[in-house]
Amino acid sequence: MKYISIANTELKTSNIIMGNMRLPQLNLQEAEKLIRTALEEGINFFDHADIYGRGQSEEVFSNAIQMTPNIRENMIIQSKCGIRVPEGYFDFSKDHILRSVDGILDRLKTDYLDILLLHRPDPLMEPEEVAEAFEQLHTAGKVKYFGVSNFNPAQIELLQKSIPYKLVVNQLQFSIAHTPMIDSGIALNMNVDQSINRDSSILEYCRLHDITIQAWSPFQHGFFEGVFLGDLKRYPELNKTLDTLAEKYGVSTTAIAVAWITRHPANIQVVLGTTNSERLKEGCKGSEIKLTREEWYQLYKAAGNMVP
C-alpha cells in the first residue's frame, strides 16, 4: 500500500480509501469482514457522509467494528454534510452543519472527525456563516481539518476567503471513463467537444493550491450510468487494453483501473465503494502499480478520448 501525506495536515494516509456508501447492504458480520479486510490491506482512511443510508452507514460501521478509542486512533475518518434528504436541497447554514456533525459523531461513536467535507456546493452558501461553524467545530475538537466535495475553483476561493482553516481535500468524480478533469487540457484550443472546459481546470487548481483530490466512482462512466469494467458493448477497446495490462502485471482489471488514477502525479486518492471483500483486495493491488506513460495514454485513448 502506498501512503501519502495530505498537505497542510499531519495525516499520512493510504492512497486507497474505503468508501462506506453501500455499507447498509451488509449485515454486521459482513460489514466487519469488509472493514477488517481493508485494514489488513493497509487502508487507514474511511470515507462517510451523513446521507449514506440516511445515517445507517455510519451506524453500521461503528457497530460492526465495535468502535473504541484504541480502534479509532488507528483510523483516519472523514464524513460529509450539506445535502438534506429527503427534502432534496443543499444546506450550508451554521445550524445545519453543527447539527450534522453532532449526529455523525454520535453514529460513528467517536469524539472527532479527521476531516469534514461540505458535500456539494450550496448556491445559497454564506461563507462567513460556514466559517463560524468551522471555527466552533475546530475549537471544540470535533473536527481537525476541512475540505469540500464537487467544488470548482471559484467556489473554493469564495469559501476559503472567509474561513481561517486551509481546505485540504476536494472529492471529485474521476475514472478512465470519466475524465473531464483532463480532457480539455489535452484538446486545448481545438474546435472539438473534448476541448470544452467543463470543470474550470479544477485538477490544476488543486495541484497549485496543495488540495488533495479524492476520486469517487473510479469504475463508473457518466453519472452512475454503470461500470465500464466488463462492458464490452460500450467499451470494447478499453476492456481489451485493461485485460492486456492485467495479464502483464499479474493483477485484475480492477487493479489496473485503480493504477490508472494513482499513476497521476497529483497523488490522487481512490475511493473504493465495493461491498465485496475480494474486489476490495483486487483494487488495493493498484495502489503501488506504476503504469508507464505509454500504458497510461493507451488506456485513456482506449476509453474513446483523443490525443492530438
Side-chain angles (χ1 to χ4, degrees):
M1 179 65 65
K2 179 180 178 181
Y3 294 87
I4 64 171
S5 295
I6 296 181
N8 298 294
T9 78
E10 297 180 351
L11 303 177
K12 187 172 183 181
T13 170
S14 52
N15 66 348
I16 306 297
I17 296 172
M18 177 179 163
N20 291 278
M21 184 172 71
R22 298 179 178 86
L23 206 60
Q25 297 175 7
L26 307 179
N27 60 38
L28 288 183
Q29 185 177 6
E30 293 168 335
E32 181 184 11
K33 178 183 177 182
L34 186 66
I35 299 165
R36 297 289 181 193
T37 298
L39 292 168
E40 290 166 4
E41 291 297 312
I43 293 175
N44 68 351
F45 198 116
F46 298 86
D47 176 68
H48 294 270
D50 60 354
I51 66 165
Y52 293 167
R54 298 192 181 183
Q56 288 185 2
S57 293
E58 293 160 337
E59 290 181 346
V60 171
F61 183 88
S62 62
N63 290 332
I65 202 68
Q66 298 179 2
M67 186 68 78
T68 64
N70 288 337
I71 292 173
R72 173 68 182 91
E73 288 306 309
N74 292 317
M75 296 178 167
I76 296 171
I77 298 181
Q78 167 181 284
S79 195
K80 302 181 284 291
C81 72
I83 301 178
R84 297 191 66 132
V85 290
E87 297 93 338
Y89 63 87
F90 308 132
D91 188 349
F92 286 2
S93 66
K94 178 182 176 180
D95 288 345
H96 181 71
I97 293 172
L98 295 178
R99 284 199 311 271
S100 295
V101 171
D102 283 342
I104 289 167
L105 296 178
D106 182 61
R107 292 188 294 271
L108 285 171
K109 295 183 172 63
T110 183
D111 295 327
Y112 69 97
L113 291 175
D114 292 286
I115 305 177
L116 173 70
L117 305 185
L118 297 178
H119 207 157
R120 280 190 177 274
D122 177 8
L124 302 181
M125 174 181 73
E126 297 182 46
E128 297 82 6
E129 187 175 1
V130 175
E132 290 178 9
F134 281 8
E135 190 163 6
Q136 187 168 326
L137 291 169
H138 190 268
T139 301
K142 294 180 179 180
V143 179
K144 289 186 176 181
Y145 305 106
F146 300 91
V148 295
S149 182
N150 308 297
F151 273 51
N152 68 31
Q155 291 164 337
I156 294 174
E157 289 280 355
L158 178 63
L159 181 58
Q160 188 68 80
K161 179 182 176 181
S162 295
I163 63 174
Y165 312 107
K166 180 74 168 65
L167 296 170
V168 299
V169 164
N170 192 7
Q171 196 172 99
L172 299 157
Q173 185 177 3
F174 190 52
S175 75
I176 305 174
H178 185 90
T179 53
M181 283 199 292
I182 58 178
D183 292 340
S184 61
I186 288 178
L188 181 68
N189 201 36
M190 298 183 69
N191 191 22
V192 294
D193 183 70
Q194 186 175 319
S195 71
I196 299 172
N197 189 334
R198 293 181 168 86
D199 72 326
S200 305
S201 302
I202 187 62
L203 175 59
E204 291 79 10
Y205 175 88
C206 287
R207 293 183 73 182
L208 284 167
H209 293 270
D210 294 324
I211 297 173
T212 297
I213 292 175
Q214 299 172 347
W216 59 268
S217 288
F219 312 123
Q220 291 272 340
H221 62 89
F223 188 64
F224 297 111
E225 292 180 22
V227 176
F228 60 80
L229 295 172
D231 188 344
L232 301 181
K233 183 177 180 180
R234 294 189 183 186
Y235 295 98
E237 189 62 29
L238 175 56
N239 278 278
K240 179 181 177 181
T241 307
L242 285 166
D243 287 339
T244 299
L245 292 174
E247 183 177 358
K248 173 185 173 179
Y249 286 96
V251 295
S252 68
T253 55
T254 299
I256 298 299
V258 169
W260 186 84
I261 298 173
T262 59
R263 172 62 176 83
H264 197 282
N267 276 330
I268 299 171
Q269 292 181 285
V270 181
V271 182
L272 297 182
T274 181
T275 56
N276 183 297
S277 295
E278 292 305 313
R279 179 61 65 85
L280 183 67
K281 289 181 182 179
E282 291 175 3
C284 288
K285 290 180 180 178
S287 167
E288 292 188 278
I289 294 175
K290 188 169 183 179
L291 299 174
T292 67
R293 188 179 297 266
E294 180 182 9
E295 290 165 348
W296 190 89
Y297 275 104
Q298 283 177 344
L299 287 165
Y300 180 71
K301 291 189 288 185
N305 298 300
M306 179 266 297
V307 175

